Amino acid sequence: MDVLSENVELSHADLALLAELAKGVTVDRVGRRLDCSGRTVRRRLRGICDRIGVATAIEAVAWAARRQLI
């Protein structure tokens, strides 16, 4: 784990995933770029949301952007 913010740790891979979504890239395309399936991306995204305490991917992207992590 690399980034610590408000007792939440996100790896560089987590931040890369959120940054791709912030650019408007679809989940399936993110999966192809990260060499994994769209389902894996959704699962990882759900884990990120749970760790930072938000309900949706959009909220996760906004959370990271507000903290200038992406």
Side-chain angles (χ1 to χ4, degrees):
M1 301 288 172
D2 303 312
V3 176
L4 177 61
S5 179
E6 298 178 12
N7 298 322
V8 176
E9 295 181 9
L10 294 179
S11 69
H12 286 298
D14 293 338
L15 294 176
L17 189 153
L18 292 175
E20 289 295 314
L21 292 175
K23 293 176 192 174
V25 178
T26 65
V27 170
D28 290 327
R29 187 162 288 164
V30 171
R32 277 180 268 162
R33 288 183 182 180
L34 299 178
D35 209 23
C36 60
S37 72
R39 184 178 174 135
T40 299
V41 171
R42 287 181 192 89
R43 192 175 319 122
R44 285 179 52 196
L45 189 53
R46 180 74 260 143
I48 292 168
C49 289
D50 290 345
R51 280 183 286 174
I52 64 177
V54 299
T56 67
I58 293 169
E59 289 175 322
V61 168
W63 182 92
R66 279 194 301 268
R67 287 157 181 80
Q68 298 179 349
L69 300 174
I70 58 172

